[in-house]
Amino acid sequence: MHKYLLQFFIFLSSFTLNAQQTVGLFTRDPGSLDGYVLFAPNFANKTYLIDKCGYEVHTWTSTHQPGQSAYMLDDGSLLRTGKVNGGSFNAGGSGGIFEKFDWNGTLNWSYTISSATECQHHDIHKLPNGNVLAIVWELKTVSEATAAGRNPAGIGTAVWSEKIIEVQQTGPTTGNVVWEWHVWDHLIQDFDSLKPNYGVVSQHPELINLNFTTGTATASDWLHCNAIDYNADLDQIAISSHNLSEIWIIDHSTTTAEAASHSGGVHGKGGDLLYRWGNPAVYGRGTSADKKFFGQHNVQWIRNGLKDAGNIMVFNNGIQRPGGNYSSIDIIAPPIDSMGDYTLALNQKYQPDSAFWTYVAPVPTSFYSMNISGVQRLSNGNTLICEGASGNFFEIDSLKNTVWNYVNPVGQGGNIITQGAAATQNSVFRCTQYDPSYAGLTGYVLVPGNPIELNPLPYVCNMLTSIHNTENSPINLRVSSDFSGDLILKSDVDIRILSASLSDVTGKLINQWGLLNLIKDNATVLIADHDFAPGIYLLNIKSSDAHFTFKVLR
């Protein structure tokens, strides 16, 4: 089915020029993609779904603050992490539980991974089979780390390693771990020849150097993995290690036994790294000058059907980046041979040499988040960015112009910020946009409420959502709203509309029109703002070879 671009024109001058604005919707330009944005403020128990006008559409409430990610599922459920652990793993991103709520807020599953020796943290990912992948810290004692070949000078009270587990739900609070992978099974060290894992680091790029550290050498949180993604076509998992400034790809086609070894799976490498990128000094094939990532987050494959599909996109935070601290969005294209294996030349670092697409702000240092944060490629080619530390969401078009901007108005303890007050403690781990056609939204009437912030500034914003188009229609028909709120039709080609009608959600006819001729690139006013009151309406338009239906939120 064709994806039709819906344009929006919004009257925002009443507050975009107001120096007192601090939160909420700042910018909504015609090039912004319609949809709904999900986010879980870091210091609140509530997860929000807003429309692109900044109006609250739906919420879910937990007893936990996020720990950290949250996602909508295609059945309308919310899958989120929660923070319950304050003991052994007291660090940024700690969680300990993930929860699944239905649309109405009923908790249907909670699964706890929180003890003195392990803790879920940062990110989870739902697999196509319904199971959930989770990143989990696992504690290694001083004696265990020393026995594996860790330099004692680099051990404090413990070493936190990482594992990935796949959990299958078995009950409201239970689950089976049906697959797992451990960093500790894939180590290399050149410190102690009498200990396991000894070897030449540069000769084993498929393994992880146990003694490579950044920051404080004795910090327990050695790797600090902060993101996980899954590619169903490849049956592979991508992981982001913040502290090593690297992303890794591992094979999910292995059994758990194979994942603990160096053989097996589709690629014959067991659980060894299939690919890594961002900091070749970690595996002895580069220097600091070769470093490309600087504390990155949100590694992901760009999904099929989107611009640059199949490539890997990352929010590159830019901590201690040469030339200054600033963030970027980077997309790389890993080289893959005819057998589907990632290629690596003898004694060389993993390719490519650099990202093939990068977004940096016009003034680079004006876009910087030292931690958290995320990015998403949208269905129209735009890119949604969450500058997490400041709770700032913005969307850029293909020319890298900002076409939408929203600042989270939820602060510490879930307190709502009053418009004009300082936006503090409003950080957000990540935000995710869902198209109006997303399966998880089917069957629900999404009625826009008020802006979340207190004492919002007045503005006009119409949401117009295409919910049906004739398949294979050559016509790109668009509906927009002008500055007075009138509904306007526009087409890429000349088109003769046979009929048009506006009805409410009960089917009651509000207005109808006969023959209309649309001339390419000329706008035709169809409905004046005063012709219909606020509410939800369906606009049906028929031409000789196409049928269009738009949901109008007024």
Side-chain angles (χ1 to χ4, degrees):
M1 183 175 290
H2 281 266
K3 300 291 184 182
Y4 291 93
L5 175 64
L6 306 180
Q7 296 187 4
F8 299 79
F9 296 89
I10 303 159
F11 181 48
L12 298 177
S13 61
S14 61
F15 70 95
T16 53
L17 300 180
N18 191 322
Q20 297 303 309
Q21 187 184 4
T22 53
V23 292
L25 181 67
F26 281 75
T27 303
R28 178 76 165 102
D29 286 348
S32 176
L33 180 68
D34 182 19
Y36 301 91
V37 177
L38 182 81
F39 63 99
N42 275 358
F43 303 110
N45 294 359
K46 188 176 287 188
T47 302
Y48 293 84
L49 185 69
I50 62 171
D51 62 25
K52 296 296 282 290
C53 288
Y55 299 138
E56 181 181 312
V57 172
H58 198 69
T59 62
W60 296 262
T61 301
S62 170
T63 56
H64 309 291
Q65 293 181 356
Q68 295 276 338
S69 57
Y71 303 98
M72 272 198 70
L73 306 183
D74 56 13
D75 64 355
S77 298
L78 175 76
L79 180 66
R80 76 185 296 276
T81 58
K83 186 173 183 178
V84 299
N85 191 289
S88 301
F89 300 92
N90 188 15
S94 64
I97 193 171
F98 52 83
E99 305 171 306
K100 182 180 178 182
F101 295 87
D102 68 17
W103 178 264
N104 296 317
T106 300
L107 180 61
N108 290 329
W109 186 32
S110 64
Y111 186 77
T112 301
I113 312 168
S114 177
S115 70
T117 58
E118 65 175 5
C119 181
Q120 173 275 328
H121 63 100
H122 283 91
D123 202 8
I124 55 178
H125 186 90
K126 178 183 172 292
L127 295 174
N129 63 6
N131 295 348
V132 175
L133 291 174
I135 309 172
V136 179
W137 279 312
E138 55 178 0
L139 185 142
K140 300 296 180 180
T141 64
V142 173
S143 59
E144 286 175 319
T146 303
R150 177 87 166 195
N151 183 345
I155 307 175
T157 58
V159 172
W160 301 354
S161 187
E162 302 274 8
K163 65 178 177 179
I164 305 298
I165 63 172
E166 178 183 343
V167 184
Q168 178 187 54
Q169 181 178 2
T170 57
T173 60
T174 58
N176 287 332
V177 176
V178 298
W179 182 89
E180 56 190 290
W181 173 89
H182 299 253
V183 163
W184 216 248
D185 294 325
H186 304 281
L187 301 175
I188 184 75
Q189 57 91 12
D190 57 6
F191 173 73
D192 190 339
S193 62
L194 300 179
K195 300 288 173 57
N197 312 307
Y198 183 77
V200 179
V201 171
S202 63
Q203 293 179 6
H204 293 279
E206 77 281 6
L207 302 177
I208 299 162
N209 184 357
L210 180 58
N211 288 301
F212 191 96
T213 60
T214 57
T216 303
T218 57
S220 297
D221 189 6
W222 166 40
L223 300 168
H224 197 82
C225 293
N226 57 27
I228 187 168
D229 193 33
Y230 175 74
N231 187 314
D233 294 333
L234 303 175
D235 200 8
Q236 294 173 7
I237 296 169
I239 311 163
S240 167
S241 170
H242 171 278
N243 286 0
L244 299 191
S245 289
E246 276 198 308
I247 59 170
W248 306 329
I249 293 178
I250 60 174
D251 192 351
H252 181 256
S253 73
T254 57
T255 64
T256 292
E258 289 171 336
S261 74
H262 309 293
S263 63
V266 169
H267 299 276
K269 295 184 177 181
D272 287 346
L273 303 187
L274 301 179
Y275 179 77
R276 64 199 305 175
W277 202 83
N279 190 9
V282 178
Y283 55 96
R285 295 195 181 183
T287 68
S288 59
D290 298 302
K291 188 176 180 181
K292 303 298 182 182
F293 287 152
F294 305 89
Q296 80 291 333
H297 284 74
N298 201 192
V299 59
Q300 65 195 268
W301 279 280
I302 299 177
R303 299 295 184 255
N304 291 336
L306 302 180
K307 183 180 179 182
D308 300 320
N311 294 306
I312 293 175
M313 181 161 61
V314 167
F315 187 105
N316 192 356
N317 294 72
I319 306 169
Q320 298 180 349
R321 189 195 297 259
N325 292 339
Y326 63 90
S327 298
S328 63
I329 308 302
D330 297 331
I331 301 177
I332 64 169
I336 300 177
D337 64 21
S338 60
M339 301 297 292
D341 295 318
Y342 297 92
T343 60
L344 176 63
L346 185 66
N347 297 323
Q348 299 298 308
K349 63 181 183 291
Y350 277 100
Q351 295 298 298
D353 282 331
S354 60
F356 75 83
W357 187 93
T358 294
Y359 169 77
V360 174
V363 178
T365 54
S366 68
F367 167 43
Y368 175 60
S369 181
M370 67 173 293
N371 61 355
I372 54 177
S373 307
V375 61
Q376 178 188 4
R377 180 55 54 84
L378 302 180
S379 58
N380 67 345
N382 289 0
T383 303
L384 178 67
I385 298 169
C386 172
E387 190 177 8
S390 58
N392 181 36
F393 314 155
F394 64 101
E395 177 187 350
I396 58 171
D397 63 16
S398 59
L399 299 178
K400 303 181 181 179
N401 298 311
T402 298
V403 293
W404 184 77
N405 184 206
Y406 179 88
V407 175
N408 168 37
V410 184
Q412 180 70 40
N415 293 324
I416 307 302
I417 298 170
T418 299
Q419 185 66 267
T424 60
Q425 301 294 309
N426 69 328
S427 60
V428 177
F429 181 66
R430 195 181 297 166
C431 66
T432 305
Q433 178 162 330
Y434 297 89
D435 287 345
S437 60
Y438 179 63
L441 299 174
T442 302
Y444 299 108
V445 178
L446 304 180
V447 180
N450 295 319
I452 297 172
E453 64 269 18
L454 298 177
N455 194 28
L457 293 166
Y459 62 96
V460 175
C461 180
N462 290 323
M463 283 282 294
L464 307 167
T465 305
S466 173
I467 59 175
H468 170 79
N469 291 297
T470 302
E471 292 190 15
N472 302 317
S473 169
I475 301 169
N476 182 4
L477 183 67
R478 303 184 298 281
V479 180
S480 62
S481 174
D482 69 2
F483 292 106
S484 67
D486 295 347
L487 297 185
I488 295 173
L489 295 180
K490 196 172 182 180
S491 174
D492 287 347
V493 298
D494 294 352
I495 175 177
R496 193 179 196 197
I497 292 176
L498 301 178
S499 66
S501 65
L502 183 74
S503 61
D504 64 19
V505 291
T506 69
K508 179 182 177 181
L509 184 66
I510 304 300
N511 207 341
Q512 60 183 345
W513 301 265
L515 292 176
L516 294 169
N517 291 315
L518 266 65
I519 307 301
K520 178 182 177 181
D521 295 331
N522 287 336
T524 297
V525 175
L526 181 62
I527 309 167
D529 182 57
H530 57 77
D531 285 342
F532 62 114
I536 301 175
Y537 299 86
L538 297 179
L539 176 63
N540 291 285
I541 300 173
K542 292 183 179 180
S543 70
S544 58
D545 64 350
H547 175 204
F548 306 89
T549 303
F550 298 91
K551 182 170 67 177
V552 179
L553 304 183
R554 184 63 187 91

